[in-house]
Amino acid sequence: MEKEQIKRSLEPNRTGIHKREWKNMLAGYAFISPVIIGLLVFTAIPFFYSLFLAFTDFDGLNTPQWTGVRNFVTMFTDDDKFWISLKVTFRFAIIQIPLKLGFALLVAVLLSKAVGGIGAYRIAFYIPSVLGGSVAIAMTWKILWGKEGAINSILGVFGLESVNWLKNPSTALYVLILLGVWQFGSSMLIFLAGIKEIPQTYYEAAIMDGAGAWKRFTKITLPMLSSCIFFNLVNGIIGSLQAFNSAYLITEGGPMNSTLYYGLNLYTQAFSYRKFGYASAMAWFMLVIIAFLTALVFRSSSGWVYYQDDQD
Amino acid sequence: MKKKKRILTILYHTGMILGSFVMIYPLLWLLGSSLKTNAEYYASPYSLIPQSWAFSNYAQGWKGVGRLTFTAFFKNSFLISICSTIGIVVSSTLAAFGFARIKFRTRKFWFVLMILTMCLPSQVLMIPQYSLYNKLGWVGTYLPIIVPCFTGSAFYVFMLMQFMKNIPREMDEAAIVDGCNRPALFYRIILPLIKPAMATVAVLAFMGSWSDFMGALLYLNKPAMYPVSYAIKLFGDENGTNYGPMFAMSFCSLIPVLVLFFVFQKSLVEGISTTGVKG
């Protein structure tokens, strides 16, 4: 009896689509409807509206005035801050991403070797990632590296002169980079999980063949982790180009614009100067850069990312 | 040979303990400094163990800014975070089931679209979303912070899907043959099995929402409505160089996250790990 029913429901109806398929579609849409509403109302419409605003003059109150490509022309030819913030952001990303991934990989490899006590170490290395994004930690970091902060007092113990880290244009950015690098914990966890997936037999075979520790790392661990590296790299690029919090909370972009992230510059243009159109143009330029870099990494990935089993 | 191994072990643990100490130093320093008087702080800023145990910093800090105490800010934070978490967990679980367990046309399209939004810089949406909420009259209320949570979050949908993959499909088929419809299948079979993963998502969502200050910065204009995260910024700016109460309130603001972290540590680590490896 039941079998009959199933059989019937599998037969095509007059429109050519299985009745069951319609049912599935209805059920599927019902379950994902929150996401669809979100995608349309809070993402798609703002997304296209933002593209429109990029070509207008808009203060957030009056109706946007169409100005063509003027925002982009101003941006590229007549705005020093735009170039400064772009440079700051790139410097931030280029220094922070390799350091963060390097530490994450190093500690993950070390932790994977441990016999006992790994739980406590893992907590210590991971906890900055959990708390680091909060305002409380940013404010703490600001005092820690301040003129009267702990870092300077430690330097004093060793007889070194104190440095005004956050007021010096050549050091301020590095203090913020360090705050980001300090939070390498979640990347580390992803690496650690990746290392656990590598079959132990690979290493045993390599040892039989007389491969040293460094060789085992470069010839087995690194290639087997390439998909994790890829994931962390893409995440790192997207995250650091959008950076905002640390500069807003700790340095406010200063001293002398040395920590003026692109994201902070954009925010100031929009919400301090009320140049919503111009800020939208800046946002779209950032989107293009992120898309370009991500595409570049994806493109190159076929050359260096190795997937163990594709049937999964 | 044995001796060499022992030396290596000792070296390893010394290095790891040192590394761990450097990592948690800023946190210990925050806690230690929150219990120092101002004079003691300036005498030796780097020390971790307070001599004076100045709990008065906590009492003084809790009084807050103006007439607003931290009781109010904590209430606001709990309200925002609990509502946001409920929204994220409910909508993300529903969507994850739809994407992972029901095969229907256009599913792939919506899935790819959702994943793409994860790569979309928030700055692109910030301005038009602000105008949208402004038109709706939502600016100055919690609605712009809470309502979008009820439309799911790509990251958590993806995470829940990874967990659902581990539930054998045969269970679905058996249930459907037995006359179970989709909602019943979801509610009776999948939901009980996915509860631990939902708890992980809830904890992560709560932590994220608790630490977020961007929503408050953009949409709230009355200090009485500020969550703790944003109040700390306000408090720090007002207090200047009187660090004690500032440290005390900073530490208080981290307590809910710390408690959740230590209680759910194991499943959080698992949750983070699954999103990356098989991504």
Side-chain angles (χ1 to χ4, degrees), chain A residues 35-184:
Chain A
V35 168
I36 293 182
I37 292 170
L39 281 173
L40 294 178
V41 178
F42 298 120
T43 310
I45 295 174
F47 180 77
F48 291 110
Y49 189 49
S50 156
L51 181 60
F52 163 71
L53 287 182
F55 296 95
T56 65
D57 223 355
F58 182 43
D59 61 1
L61 298 167
N62 302 307
T63 42
Q65 297 294 315
W66 184 264
T67 56
V69 293
R70 204 177 71 196
N71 285 333
F72 291 94
V73 173
T74 311
M75 214 160 84
F76 292 128
T77 61
D78 198 26
D79 186 0
D80 292 340
K81 269 200 169 175
F82 166 79
W83 291 109
I84 291 170
S85 66
L86 200 62
K87 253 200 331 225
V88 167
T89 303
F90 269 101
R91 183 178 298 152
F92 174 77
I94 288 168
I95 301 171
Q96 171 169 286
I97 296 170
L99 276 177
K100 198 169 176 176
L101 292 197
F103 272 113
L105 190 59
L106 175 75
V107 176
V109 169
L110 285 173
L111 281 182
S112 73
K113 297 266 188 291
V115 220
I118 176 185
Y121 294 144
R122 196 174 57 187
I123 291 180
F125 286 104
Y126 177 50
I127 208 163
S129 273
V130 177
L131 304 175
S134 61
V135 179
I137 292 297
M139 300 308 263
T140 305
W141 206 256
K142 186 176 175 178
I143 305 169
L144 184 76
W145 289 88
K147 194 151 193 342
E148 311 282 346
I151 302 296
N152 274 334
S153 89
I154 291 171
L155 287 179
V157 171
F158 292 104
L160 295 165
E161 229 167 279
S162 66
V163 179
N164 209 345
W165 303 99
L166 289 166
K167 292 281 184 283
N168 184 339
S170 57
T171 53
L173 185 63
Y174 293 94
V175 175
L176 303 190
I177 288 174
L178 216 58
L179 175 58
V181 174
W182 181 56
Q183 298 165 47
F184 66 75

Side-chain angles (χ1 to χ4, degrees), chain B residues 170-231:
Chain B
E170 287 77 33
M171 294 191 75
D172 299 26
E173 281 150 26
I176 287 179
V177 169
D178 285 347
C180 225
N181 57 15
R182 299 285 179 181
L185 167 70
F186 171 73
Y187 190 72
R188 294 220 190 111
I189 315 270
I190 302 290
L191 209 57
L193 290 170
I194 209 74
K195 264 185 192 156
M198 286 168 70
T200 307
V201 168
V203 171
L204 284 173
F206 186 91
M207 285 174 162
S209 156
W210 185 271
S211 306
D212 178 67
F213 79 102
M214 206 60 203
L217 173 65
L218 288 174
Y219 302 120
L220 299 180
N221 37 31
K222 276 202 281 311
M225 293 182 77
Y226 287 172
V228 178
S229 57
Y230 197 48

Side-chain angles (χ1 to χ4, degrees), chain A residues 42, chain B residues 79-80 83-84 133 136-150 215 219-220 225:
Chain A
F42 298 120
Chain B
L79 177 71
I80 295 172
C83 291
S84 303
Y133 299 139
L136 291 170
W138 288 7
V139 171
T141 71
Y142 293 137
L143 293 174
I145 304 172
I146 294 170
V147 172
C149 292
F150 280 83
Y219 302 120
L220 299 180
M225 293 182 77

